[in-house]
Each structure stands twice: as C-alpha cells, then as structure tokens.
Amino acid sequence: EIVLTQSPGTLSLSPGERATLSCRASESVSINYLAWYQQKPGQAPRLLVYGASSRATGIPDRFIGGGSGTDFTLTISRLEPEDFAVYYCQQHSRSIGAFGQGTRLEIK
Amino acid sequence: EVQLVESGGGLVQPGGSLRLSCVAAGFTFSNHWMHWVRQAPGKGLVWVSRMNSDGSIISYAESVKGRFSISRDNAKNTLYLQMKSLTAEDTAVYYCAMSSVTSGTTNDYWGPGTLVTVSS
C-alpha cells in the first residue's frame, strides 16, 4: 500500500504570497494517478489538479501542480483570501486509492 | 449540472449494519466510475471504495474489505454502500464522488455527504 505524506502540516502565509505544498509517496506513483483537492470547512472537497499537473475545470491558473515519481507539489502562485483551506493529495495505485493527511493553509 | 445526493446515514449500534445510497443526476451515470470517500469528524479524507461503470471492477480500502460492499443500479442512477460489522472507527461523513476520467482515478464531483455515527 502506497502511503502519501504531506508537508508541512500547517502553512501560515499572507494573501499575495506564494504557497508550496509537498506530497511525498512511499514508492513511485504514476503521474496519471496523482490528484490534489481543496476542502473548506463544512464543504465537500473540490478537485483542483489531476494527472499531477492538469487543472480541473474552472480552476484558476494560479494553482500549479508538478512533480513525478515520489515527489509532487502544489504551488499557489499568489494567494487569494479564498485559498485558505485544507489541501489533500491523492493517488490511485494497484486499484487502491489513498489520500495524504492534508496540509492546512492558514492566514498569517 | 452534476448532482450527487447521499442518504441513509444515521446512528447505528456497534456491530450493526447500514446501507447508504447516492442518487446521481445531470450526467450519464452508467458511463462513470463512482467512489465512496469518508471523513471522520475533524480528520482527513479516507478513500473507501470504487466501482467502474458496469459494476465489473470493484476495489476497497483494506480497512473496510470484507465488511463493506459497493454496488450500483444504473437504471436508478444510484450508487450504494452496504456496511456491516460497524465499529466506532467507522463514524464519519460518507461522500460519494464521480470520476470523469476513463481510468476512474479522480473524484471530480462530490455529494454533500451523509453522517454515520456508530455508538451505543
């Protein structure tokens, strides 16, 4: 079973700053099966990025996914007030899905 | 507009059973992989199960294998999750989600979730 570890656990930044979130897999993951989600309190998650770097429909271009192998990143180029939320990476490998534990992005 | 609405959650005693439903609208249900994902109160997301469009491919997380069963009725545009031998660790909001990619490995659209509480 592939385990995803996200870092940092909490990231404190100000609007306008750049955020870099990390997702590390315990073994290599196909980029086709790596996705990122955003979740705000009381809401269902929202798909941001799939295939490691493709933005989902309607997602602003400030959200940039990258990486390969065991190391993946989600970069938010310039934080907007609505971006403060919890972010999860997810992979599907050998037909089993798994999420990372999440990174909380909070306003500094 | 894609809509997913879960139902069937509630309070159940340890060792009990429950069946969740997810009614889909706004897309051709029979063409898409569907997933169940859960989230314990104040905790992170946990992938539970998925099923392909015709029900011939199914997978489960190890934590629910042998206790949970996913199924679908394409004529009724409905996804199900039959849960048995429930424990307190199964207490969570359960979401159904639709995948729009042919590999079935994304969760593009989500329902609002239904809360399952396992307690005596």
Side-chain angles (χ1 to χ4, degrees), chain A residues 38 40 46-49 53-65 74-80 82-83 87:
Chain A
Q38 176 194 68
K40 297 180 180 179
R46 177 173 71 147
L47 176 67
L48 298 175
V49 169
S53 61
S54 298
R55 274 184 294 276
T57 303
I59 301 303
D61 59 8
R62 65 179 181 273
F63 291 91
I64 303 163
L74 177 69
T75 300
I76 310 172
S77 59
R78 186 176 173 85
L79 286 166
E80 298 287 342
E82 62 266 28
D83 298 337
Y87 292 83

Side-chain angles (χ1 to χ4, degrees), chain B residues 4-79:
Chain B
L4 299 167
V5 179
E6 304 92 341
S7 62
L11 177 63
V12 59
Q13 291 192 335
S17 299
L18 209 58
R19 188 178 83 156
L20 306 182
S21 300
C22 170
V23 176
F27 65 101
T28 304
F29 180 74
S30 59
N31 286 350
H32 291 268
W33 286 79
M34 296 294 295
H35 297 245
W36 287 101
V37 176
R38 69 183 182 184
Q39 186 170 35
K43 303 296 185 182
L45 301 172
V46 175
W47 178 82
V48 172
S49 181
R50 70 170 185 165
M51 171 177 272
N52 73 333
S53 57
D54 66 5
S56 61
I57 303 174
I58 292 172
S59 53
Y60 297 100
E62 282 297 323
S63 58
V64 305
K65 196 175 291 185
R67 300 189 300 122
F68 288 14
S69 177
I70 189 173
S71 62
R72 65 192 295 161
D73 185 336
N74 285 343
K76 295 182 177 179
N77 289 346
T78 303
L79 178 74

Side-chain angles (χ1 to χ4, degrees), chain A residues 6 18-19 22-23 40 43 46-47 66-67 80 97 100:
Chain A
Q6 293 185 239
R18 180 186 188 93
S22 173
C23 176
K40 297 180 180 179
Q43 297 184 15
R46 177 173 71 147
L47 176 67
E80 298 287 342

Side-chain angles (χ1 to χ4, degrees), chain B residues 70-109:
Chain B
I70 189 173
S71 62
R72 65 192 295 161
D73 185 336
N74 285 343
K76 295 182 177 179
N77 289 346
T78 303
L79 178 74
Y80 302 100
L81 186 68
Q82 179 69 51
M83 307 184 293
K84 67 179 184 180
S85 303
L86 289 164
T87 73
E89 286 66 44
D90 296 315
T91 294
V93 173
Y94 285 74
Y95 297 101
C96 71
M98 179 266 271
S99 179
S100 67
V101 297
T102 55
S103 63
T105 54
T106 59
N107 301 130
D108 299 66
Y109 296 93

